Amino acid sequence: MSEREVLELLRENARYSTADIARMTGLDESEVETTIEELEAAGVVRGYQAVVDWDKLEDERVRAEVELNVTLDRETGYDDIAERLARFPQVTALRLVSGDYDFDMEVEGDSIREVSQFISEKVAPVPEITQTVTHYVMTSYKEHGIELGDGEDDERLSFSP
């Protein structure tokens, strides 16, 4: 039995029942329950979330991707900066990345003003942060492996003679 199989099915649909997962993997339901409990206890499974298509709601949610550049000193490392930033409830994801900037941070708020104020008043003043570049999300086409939208797009290839 592969923990990975159970994890992949949970990622595909966290609402699968243990009976569903048992049927798909050929395991006993009790084995699936034990596996999930062990993965949760070990901190491998950190939670379960719904994938929301915010464009379908009238109550708009503003999301932004923020590039952060930092300068480290002898007492402060990447983990220290990440720990400080991750505590903010507006931060929905934070990753150390390779390339032209150091951190990729996802932020959510109720308005562009709220997100902008958060970045300028809480993030930019962190002494080690030397630059922020904010990209507001205009439309999401896919989130967490799930395509968003109405599903009515014509998938036929266009033909021009």
Side-chain angles (χ1 to χ4, degrees), residues 33-72:
E33 287 175 12
T34 301
T35 299
I36 292 172
E37 288 170 4
E38 289 172 353
L39 290 167
E40 290 171 343
V44 174
V45 174
R46 306 294 292 222
Y48 302 89
Q49 295 183 342
V51 177
V52 178
D53 187 346
W54 290 104
D55 293 339
K56 298 277 188 198
L57 300 174
E58 290 181 24
D59 185 26
E60 192 173 328
R61 194 84 176 130
V62 175
R63 292 173 297 140
E65 297 282 333
V66 185
E67 301 173 8
L68 302 174
N69 280 315
V70 300
T71 299
L72 304 177

Side-chain angles (χ1 to χ4, degrees), residues 17-158:
S17 68
T18 52
D20 293 333
I21 295 171
R23 194 170 36 259
M24 290 184 253
T25 60
L27 300 171
D28 290 336
E29 201 170 333
S30 62
E31 287 179 279
V32 172
E33 287 175 12
T34 301
T35 299
I36 292 172
E37 288 170 4
E38 289 172 353
L39 290 167
E40 290 171 343
V44 174
V45 174
R46 306 294 292 222
Y48 302 89
Q49 295 183 342
V51 177
V52 178
D53 187 346
W54 290 104
D55 293 339
K56 298 277 188 198
L57 300 174
E58 290 181 24
D59 185 26
E60 192 173 328
R61 194 84 176 130
V62 175
R63 292 173 297 140
E65 297 282 333
V66 185
E67 301 173 8
L68 302 174
N69 280 315
V70 300
T71 299
L72 304 177
D73 58 37
R74 290 178 187 254
E75 290 93 37
T76 308
Y78 290 118
D79 290 345
D80 300 315
I81 297 167
E83 188 177 306
R84 261 185 281 166
L85 294 172
R87 288 186 183 142
F88 291 110
Q90 296 90 336
V91 176
T92 58
L94 181 64
R95 300 172 193 89
L96 181 64
V97 297
S98 63
D100 293 334
Y101 53 97
D102 300 304
F103 285 101
D104 175 44
M105 182 172 69
E106 294 177 21
V107 178
E108 285 189 2
D110 290 330
S111 67
I112 289 178
R113 169 178 239 139
E114 181 182 309
V115 170
S116 296
Q117 282 181 322
F118 168 69
I119 294 164
S120 65
E121 295 173 8
K122 301 294 185 185
V123 176
V126 172
E128 295 83 7
I129 295 177
T130 58
Q131 181 183 25
T132 67
V133 178
T134 304
H135 306 275
Y136 288 96
V137 176
M138 306 302 285
T139 301
S140 287
Y141 298 100
K142 190 172 185 176
E143 293 283 342
H144 302 283
I146 296 174
E147 288 186 50
L148 306 178
D150 59 16
E152 295 180 14
D153 293 342
D154 187 349
E155 295 185 21
R156 295 176 292 174
L157 295 175
S158 60

